[in-house]
Amino acid sequence: MRFLFENNVLDGDLRELTCGGAAVPLQPQVFDLLLFLVAQRARVVSKDDLISQIWSNRIVSDSALNSRINAARKALGDDGATQRLIKTIPRKGFRFVGDVREDVAAPPPPPEPGPAPARAMTDRPAIAVLAFENMSGDPAQEYFGDGISEDILTALSKQRWFMVIARNSSFTYKGRAVHIRQIAEELGVRYIVEGSVRKVDNRVRITAQLNDATSGSHLWAERYDRELVDVFAVQDEITNAIVAAIEPQIHAAENFRSHRKPPASLDAWDLLMRALSHYWRVTRHDHEAAKVLLERAIAIDPNYGQALSVLAVNHMFGVHLGWAELAMVAPAAEAAALNAVRSDHEDAWAHAALGCVCFSTRRLAGALSEFEQALALNPNFSLAQGYYALALSYAGRSRDSFDAAQKAIRLSPRDPSLAIYYGIAGYARFTERHYDEAIALAREAIRHRGDLTGAYRVLAVSAGMTGDETLAETALGELRRTQPNISLHWIATQLPWVNDADREHYLEGFRRAGLG
C-alpha cells in the first residue's frame, strides 16, 4: 500500500518516502513511526501505542520519542510550531492530519541494463558476538555466559561504527565446533568476539577475545576474575570493559587494512580510519593530517555522519590545545556537527561533536546536555565521558568532573586518550586546590603522553600555587614547546570558564609559575 499526501508518496512495501519524485532519507525507526501514524490517521495515537508498535514495549524516554516525531516532521517539511501534518494532542498523543489517498503500488519495471552499481561509500566492517562457552560443567550456568554475550552484542550495537550481527544468527553456532573463518563467511563478518565463562563457588573467570576472521589473527584478548557478590553488577562491569576495549582495536585493525590498499581505491571509511589514527596521536602535525583525510571522506560522502563528527571534534580539540583559532574554525565545526546530528540523531559521536563545539564556544549548558545525550546513547563511550568531565570542570562542578574523568579512565584503560583523561582529572583536583594530587595526575598524563599540552598546563599552575619554582620552570618550558602561543591573554580569552573566580585561580597559578 502507498499513501499519497501533498507532494509525498509513502510506500510501505518499498519502505520509501519520496517528495516530488525524489527520495527523502529516513532512519528505519522514523519511517516505521511515520507509516504507523499515517495508517492510523483516523485516531489519536498514544505514546503507549507508539512504544508498543515501534519500540516493542522497551522503555523509551520522552526526549527519544520527541526526537523521532521531530525527525518525521522534518522529513515532511513540517515542524513543531506549525504541525501542518503531524499534530500533537496535549496529554493524549499524536495524530496525522493531512489529506491522504491510498493506492496499491504497481510492481516496479524490470531494471534496464547498465553499469554495475558503485560500491558503498562507507564500507563499514561487520562483527559477530558468539555465545560465550560455559566451562563450569553446570548447565544451570548457561544463563550467565549467554547474558554476557547478549550484553556485549547490545552494547556494541550502540557504537554505530560497525554493523553487528543479530543474536538469532550469531547464537546458532552455540555448542557447535565450527571454524571461525567458516562462521565469518556464513555471516558475512570481518570480526568475531568469542569467550568463555567458568564459575566455581562464588567466583567467576571470564575470558574474551576479538578475532580478525580474514587473517585468522587475535587482535585482543583479556581475562577477568571476579567475586560474584552481585551477579548483575559483575556482568555489567565486565561487559563495559570488553566493549570499551574492542572499539579501538577494530579501529587500529581497520587503519592497518586501509594502509594496505592502493591510494586510488580508498573509500570514505578507509579515509576515516586513517584520520582517526592521526587524531588519537594528539600532535599538531597529526591534527592537520586528520583534517585533510576527513575532508576527503566528506567530499566522497557529504552526509557521512561519523566523518563529520570527527572533523568537528578535531577542529575543537585543536582550539583547546592552541593549534587553531576559535573564530577561524568554529563555523565549519558547528556546521559539521549539526550535519552529523541530522544524518543520524542516534549516533553518540554526533552529539559528542556538537558538545565539543558548544564547549569551545562558551555554551556550557548546551555542551553538558549534548555530552549527556551521547552517554545516554552509548554509556561505554569513553571519549564522550572524558569531554563531559572537561565541560563539568569549566562549569564549576569540580567534584563531578573528577568522578567523570575517573570513570573515563576505568571505562577504557588502554584508550588512546587516556593521558587526556588523567590531565582532566588533574585539572579538577587543581580547581579544588588539591595541588599535590593535581601534580601527580598531571605527571601520570605526561607518562602516557610526553607532549600533552593540557597536562603541562595543569603541572605548571599546580607547581606555581605550591611554590615549587623548579617544577614550575620545567613545566612552563615544556608547555611553551608544545604550545608556543601560550600567554595569559590566550588563557583569559580562549578557555570557557563559567565562573570568573575559576579563571582568576588558573591565571594566578600561571603568574606564580612565571608566565608573562
Side-chain angles (χ1 to χ4, degrees), residues 402-421:
F402 180 75
D403 291 344
Q406 291 292 97
K407 185 173 182 180
I409 292 167
R410 288 195 304 272
L411 266 177
S412 193
R414 299 181 184 178
D415 197 290
S417 292
L418 190 62
I420 297 169
Y421 306 152

Side-chain angles (χ1 to χ4, degrees), residues 395-471:
R397 295 168 55 184
S398 303
R399 180 71 248 182
D400 292 339
S401 171
F402 180 75
D403 291 344
Q406 291 292 97
K407 185 173 182 180
I409 292 167
R410 288 195 304 272
L411 266 177
S412 193
R414 299 181 184 178
D415 197 290
S417 292
L418 190 62
I420 297 169
Y421 306 152
Y422 275 111
I424 293 167
Y427 176 68
R429 279 299 189 237
F430 170 81
T431 59
E432 293 184 296
R433 291 168 169 72
H434 298 312
Y435 302 125
D436 289 340
E437 286 185 59
I439 288 170
L441 287 162
R443 281 176 162 157
E444 181 65 15
I446 292 164
R447 187 179 71 81
H448 287 276
R449 288 295 309 267
D451 55 355
L452 187 60
T453 302
Y456 286 119
R457 287 185 206 158
V458 173
L459 192 59
V461 293
S462 300
M465 296 304 289
T466 60
D468 188 335
E469 295 180 3
T470 302
L471 179 59

